[in-house]
Amino acid sequence: MDKFEIIKASILERLRNELPKNLYYHCREHTEDVLDAAINIAGKEGVTEHELFLLKTAAIFHDTGFLIVHRGHEEHSCIVARETLPEFGLPTDEINQVCEMIMATKLPQNPHCKLAEILCDADLDYLGRDDFFTIGNTLFDEMMDFRFIKNEKEWNRLQLKFLENHSYFTQTSIKSRTAKKLEHLEKIREIVEGYDKEGN
């Protein structure tokens, strides 16, 4: 088993056992989904083998902060990474790169390098996929449970604003995800316009 597979197995086990049960969206499956998307995008963006290792490591750690807090989880994900990765032999400069990628995913996303752009796009890959509404419903349930939103109307207005302001960074995601994302945007816009017509 290579170094990343050992890291992955360790972190996924922690996420499986220690994450709060009401993280319906920010769950272990989300981390695995982001990892898969990152690998897929990286394969088309021409990253090196070592860059891919760092990217995959950032993907597997990017939501570990939810083990500690909900708001501000990115900073805490970096704390977990800095506490954990030396055990796997990563030097400080590589851990810094991993944390730079993780921090880039904080909304509004702000990547400053190619690997961070890939991770940001992987984190929101579902916006341009067929399972957008299925995955979105898990985020709705989570936000309702944490009382970040009050109802479905507030949720759809939030989604509309988010989709209107979101753009992918990599050419891979721009080409493969933007068209479908715009379809979802139009559907949500129609729903919100319905609210407005009803005076809600």
Side-chain angles (χ1 to χ4, degrees), residues 39-53:
I39 293 169
N40 179 55
I41 297 167
K44 296 170 183 173
E45 290 288 322
V47 306
T48 67
E49 187 174 339
H50 188 62
E51 285 173 334
L52 181 59
F53 166 73

Side-chain angles (χ1 to χ4, degrees), residues 42 69 145:
V69 295
D145 215 52

Side-chain angles (χ1 to χ4, degrees), residues 5 10-11 25 33 35 43 81 102 123 134 141 154 162 164 166 173-175:
E5 290 301 320
S10 173
I11 295 303
Y25 173 81
D33 182 67
L35 174 62
I102 291 171
D123 197 20
T134 301
D141 290 340
E154 187 176 343
F162 186 78
E164 284 176 337
H166 173 265
S173 294
I174 290 168
K175 291 174 183 176

Side-chain angles (χ1 to χ4, degrees), residues 17 29 32 38 42 44 46 71 84 87 98 111 113 123 126 128 136 140 151 165 169 187 190 198:
N17 294 327
E29 289 79 10
E32 292 177 299
K44 296 170 183 173
R71 291 196 187 278
T84 306
E87 299 171 17
V98 166
C113 66
D123 197 20
Y126 84 99
F140 168 73
N151 52 46
N165 288 295
F169 297 98
K187 287 180 182 176
E190 288 174 10
E198 294 167 5

